[in-house]
Amino acid sequence: GVTGTSGKSTVVKIIGSIFDSAKKKNVVAGNIGTPFSEIVQSGETYEVITLEISSFQLDTIREFKSDVAVLLNVTADHLDRYNDSFEEYSRSKARILNRAGSETVFVYNVEDPVCAAIAGDHDVKRVGFSSQKALTEGVFADEGYIVRRIGGVEERVIPIVDFPPVGIHNL
């Protein structure tokens, strides 16, 4: 499940492309394209379902639980729906971790103070990301590469120049 104020559609499309390249039977759905309810009703099975989830959808979830929850950013938007309260809107975005447990992987933007605070409030496996600084643990941009450092193992994943979406905001 992917949420955030901006960038959701781009990220779920990238995730879908990655699973396509890996030859995994997958679908991208939710706030983009096919509603998740249609995927469930179809009875078709997938190895991976990637969902774009808006704050509006998060407001009403009850039983939904994401194995991997992604929070890209939280900035002031849609506040008219949240009594002009950034705190209410932030709580809505935090619902991406509804029913999360220690087995849930939470991918979050370490540069966004709201995302970082939400990460600290939950017992989940945290994987931070940053386009601005090297991380002790997580995924970050460094010396022209996207780098993954997890469990003490560091790997240069891809040169930034080969990453198709242009712009630091997409990195």
Side-chain angles (χ1 to χ4, degrees), residues 5-115:
T5 303
S6 58
K8 297 179 296 294
S9 295
T10 300
V11 169
V12 297
K13 288 175 189 175
I14 291 168
I15 292 169
S17 293
I18 289 168
F19 284 117
D20 286 344
S21 295
K23 307 286 191 254
K24 299 287 184 185
K25 186 175 180 189
N26 78 96
V27 64
V28 169
N31 202 48
I32 182 175
T34 307
F36 182 46
S37 58
E38 281 186 32
I39 301 296
V40 172
Q41 288 176 336
S42 76
E44 190 163 354
T45 58
Y46 296 91
E47 292 175 82
V48 180
I49 300 172
T50 304
L51 298 175
E52 176 183 332
I53 309 172
S54 72
S55 59
F56 301 162
Q57 292 162 321
L58 288 168
D59 287 340
T60 60
I61 63 170
R62 298 287 177 263
E63 299 300 317
F64 175 79
K65 179 180 179 184
S66 186
D67 295 325
V68 178
V70 180
L71 181 56
L72 302 173
N73 49 54
V74 182
T75 58
D77 199 6
H78 307 299
L79 296 187
D80 56 321
R81 181 178 165 91
Y82 296 96
N83 302 312
D84 292 320
S85 169
F86 183 69
E87 290 74 25
E88 277 188 43
Y89 176 63
S90 299
R91 279 193 297 275
S92 176
K93 288 299 188 183
R95 290 180 56 80
I96 190 71
L97 292 173
N98 186 49
R99 300 183 62 223
S102 59
E103 74 288 348
T104 304
V105 176
F106 181 47
V107 180
Y108 69 100
N109 182 349
V110 300
E111 296 164 11
D112 184 301
V114 175
C115 296

Side-chain angles (χ1 to χ4, degrees), residues 134-140 142 147-155:
L135 302 175
T136 330
E137 184 92 1
V139 179
F140 54 93
D142 189 42
V147 178
R148 176 178 51 222
R149 187 181 289 155
I150 305 288
V153 177
E154 182 172 307
E155 175 187 9

